[in-house]
Amino acid sequence: GADDTEEKTQTIDPKHIFPPQHTDMPEEMRVETMELCVTACEKFATNNESAAKMIKESMDKKFGSSWHVVIGEGFGFEITHEVKNLLYMFFGGGLAVCVWKCS
Amino acid sequence: MSVSHKVGTMKSKQVSSFVMQDEEEGLDTAEGEEWMQGKTLVKPPDQLDLTEAELNEEITRVLKASNPNAPQNVVRYSFKEGCYKPIVFVDQMAIHFELEGNLVHKESDEGRRLMAKQAEVDDGGGVERPDNVAIKAAKREQKLTNQFNFNERASQTLNNTPRDISCQTEPPPRANFSATANQWEIYDFYVEELQRREKSKEKHEGQFLNKEEDKSKKKMIQAETQNDDISQLAKVVKIIERMVNQNIFDDVAQDFMYFEDASDEFRGEKGTLLPLWTFQYDKAKSLSVTALCWNHKYNDLFAVGLGSHEFTQQGGGMLLFYTLKNPSYPEFIFNTASGVMCLDIHEHLSYLVAVGLYDGCVAVYNLKKKTDQPIYNSRASSGKHTSAVMQVKWQKDDLDSNHNFISVSADGRLVSWTLVKHELVFTEIIKLPVIDTIPDDLKDVIPTVGTSLDFHKQKDYSFLVGTEHGKIHKGSKYYSSKFLEKYDAHFMNVTRVKWNPFHPDVFISCGWDWMVKIWDQTMKSPVFTFELKTSVTDVAWAPYSSTVFAAVTTDGKVHVFDLNINKYEALCQQKVVSKKTKLFNIEFNPVHPIIIVGDDRGHVTSLKLSPNLRKKPKEKKGQDLPKGPEVEIAKMEQLLSSMR
C-alpha cells in the first residue's frame, strides 16, 4: 500500500498538471486555486495548518469572504458549499485538499 | 416726508376721529354707514344717548396735518433774551408703532463678535445665518459682481419626495458535497488518472481531435463518475463472483491443483478419475451436450455446444463458454436457432469459434464482440449443407490470409468455408463416396453421412472422415475426386476418428458397435481393438502422451487406456454420471491433467486424472530421458512393431 503510493508519486510528480478529484469551479478560478494549493502545500510541507491558513486567506482576498480549507491524509467529510465554489484535489500522493466557499 | 406725513396723519386722524366720534356721538353718520355695512348695529353700553336734534346737528371736521397730541404751547428759556419764549415749530410726528430690530451689521464690532461666537458653536458646519453670510461674502469676493447692475436671485426646484425601498438579493445557490480522503482513495485516483492519460495518448496517436480532449477533460472535471459507474461495477462484480465461487468450491479448487491420489500406488496399474466441478446451465436443461472444445490460449476456458442428437427432438441450441474459475455460470452464452452439433475454436485466434448446426448452417462467432449474433452465418449463402453439420475444423489461413474452416455434414459433402470480409464463401472439397449397397439410381439422392472429421497434425492436407456406415476414408485436400484410402472400421456408425497427436501414422476410431480401434494408416486392419460394453460415443488422445487415450460410452462410463502399460485393458473404467445419463463428449485439457465430459442432460463434468493415468515412462538410472514428441513416437513405434 504505502510502498505502492510512494512508487506512484515518483511516477506522478514530474507530471505537473493533474485534474482535481472533484470540482465545479470555472476554469480560471480552478487553475488559480490549484496552483495556490500546490504552492501552499509545498511551502508548508510539514504543517497542514499553516498551509490551510495561507490558502484560506488568499482565497478570501481574491474571491470573497468565507472560504474554508481542510488539508489532511485521512478524513471523511460532508459539506454544504456555494455552487461553483468547491475544489477537492489530491497532492503529492498522500495529501487531500478540500477548499470550499460558504458564508 | 410731508406727503407721507399727511397721509399717515390723515389716516391716523381718521381712525382716531372715528374712534372719538363713535365714542362721543353714536352711529348713523355717512362715513359710519359705509364702514359698518353688513354689521348689526350693536350699541355699546357707554354710548351717549343723544337727542334727535343733537344727532342731526352737523358738525364740521377739518383735517389737519398737525398732531393733535403734540403740545401747542411749548416754551423754552432763551438765555439770549433771558426769558421764556414760546416755540412755534413743534415736532408734529406721532409715532404709532415702534419695533426694535435685531439685525446687526456684520462689519460692526458686535456683528463680528457674534460671528465668532457662532463659528465656535457650529464648528464650521452648514448653519443658516453665518453660513449664508459667509457664502454671500465668498460669492462677493469671487464673483466681483457689478455693484450697480447685479441682481442675484435664487429659486428652489421641486424636490421629489424621498421613498424608502429595501430588497434582498437571492443568496448564491448552495450544494452539499461529501467524500472521504484516504490513502487508498488517493492511490486509486492516481491509477485511474494514469490509465486515462495512456488512453488519451493512444487517442492522440490515432486521431488528433481537440474536441475529444476537451470532452475528456470535461468528463474528468465533472468527475462524479456517472458514466463509469456501471461498467466499473461489472468488472468488480465479476471478480467478486469468481472469488465467491472459489470460496464455495474451495476444496475442489485445491484438489484440482494439488491433489494426487496417493492410493494409486497401491492400485497397481489402475487409476481413478476424481470428479471436480460440474458445469450446468439452467436454460440448457433440455439440451444435451454435443460438442466440447478447449480454448488453446486460455487453458481454463472451454466451449460447450448444446443441441440434440435425436432427430425428433430438435429445438433451439446453445453455445456456452465456461471457465474453470467460475463453475456456476457460463462466461459467454449464445443462443442458436437450431441445435449445435459441433464446434471448433481457432488455434491462434482464440476468439473465433466456428459452429455447425443441425439445420446445416455454419456460423462463426467472435467472442471479442459483445453481440449475441454470429459474425458470419451461412444461412444466406447457397452452399449451405442440406443436412446436419457433423464436424467443423479450422484450417490455416489461406494465401489471402483469410480464415477458413472445413465442415463435414450428413449430406456427405466436405465443404471449405472462407471468411471473406462479411460473408462466408464456400468451396466444395469432396463428396463422400456412396457405398456399394445402394442401387445406382439412388446414389445421388441418398448421401453418405459423414460423422467425423480430423486433420493430420503435421500434414494438414491429409484428413480422415468417418461415415455412418462404419467406413473411414482418408483423403487429401489436393484430391477432390477420390479418397486415398478406405478402412472398414466398424459395423455401425463411426462416432469419432482422431489422429494421434505425436505419431504421424496412427489414428484411433470409435463407433456404436462398442469398439475402439487403433490404426496404423499403412495397414488395413487395426493394430489394437478394444471392446467396451456399450456404444462408444467419443474418444480422445491425451496431449501429454502418445499412448494414452480415453473413451466415453453411453452407459456413463469413462475408459482410460495407456497402451504403454496395459495393451489389453483399460486402466480406469469409471462411471462419472448418474444412471441413465449418456456421455457424448470427452476432451483432454491441453495443459492441466483434467478431462471434461459432456452428457445428454446438458451437464459438463470435469474430472482429474490420477497419477497412474498420467505416467511418463520410467527414467533409467543415470540416463536422462529425452522428453518430447520423439519419445512418444518411439513409444508408439515400439508398440506397433510388437503387434505386427
Side-chain angles (χ1 to χ4, degrees), chain B residues 55 58 217 246 533 580:
Chain B
L55 282 172
E58 276 194 21
K217 269 188 195 167
Q246 202 176 23
K533 306 286 186 321
K580 291 198 183 169

Side-chain angles (χ1 to χ4, degrees), chain A residues 8 12 15 17-19 21-23 73-83 86 88 90 93-94 96 102-103, chain B residues 172-183 185-187 189-191 193-194 197 201 220-224:
Chain A
K8 280 290 167 185
I12 287 164
K15 296 177 188 177
I17 308 158
F18 242 91
Q21 218 273 15
H22 173 81
T23 176
E73 286 169 22
F75 57 91
F77 57 91
E78 161 103 32
I79 54 162
T80 308
H81 66 94
E82 281 181 23
V83 170
L86 169 72
Y88 175 47
F90 299 132
C102 187
S103 56
Chain B
R174 292 179 181 193
N176 279 354
F177 174 66
S178 64
T180 316
N182 274 322
Q183 288 302 307
E185 293 254 334
I186 298 176
Y187 177 70
F189 177 70
Y190 278 146
V191 165
E193 180 54 35
L194 283 172
R197 287 196 179 209
K201 270 184 192 167
M220 288 194 283
I221 287 171
Q222 297 162 6
E224 285 267 7

Side-chain angles (χ1 to χ4, degrees), chain B residues 366-378:
Chain B
N366 185 335
L367 293 181
K368 277 193 186 170
K369 308 231 165 114
K370 309 275 180 185
T371 57
D372 261 11
Q373 296 304 312
I375 51 169
Y376 296 96
N377 208 329
S378 76

Side-chain angles (χ1 to χ4, degrees), chain B residues 36 43 65 67 83 92 126 140 162 210-211 249 259 281 318 321-322 389 417 422 426 429 451 485 504 527 614 621:
Chain B
M36 302 207 192
K43 266 194 174 181
N67 188 356
C83 62
Q92 299 292 318
R140 278 176 202 155
N210 277 327
K211 279 186 183 176
F249 296 107
F259 181 74
Y281 184 47
M318 281 183 134
F321 283 81
Y322 284 97
V389 179
W417 303 89
H422 296 294
F426 84 98
I429 298 211
T451 52
E485 196 72 64
V527 181
R614 296 184 267 143
K621 286 182 187 176

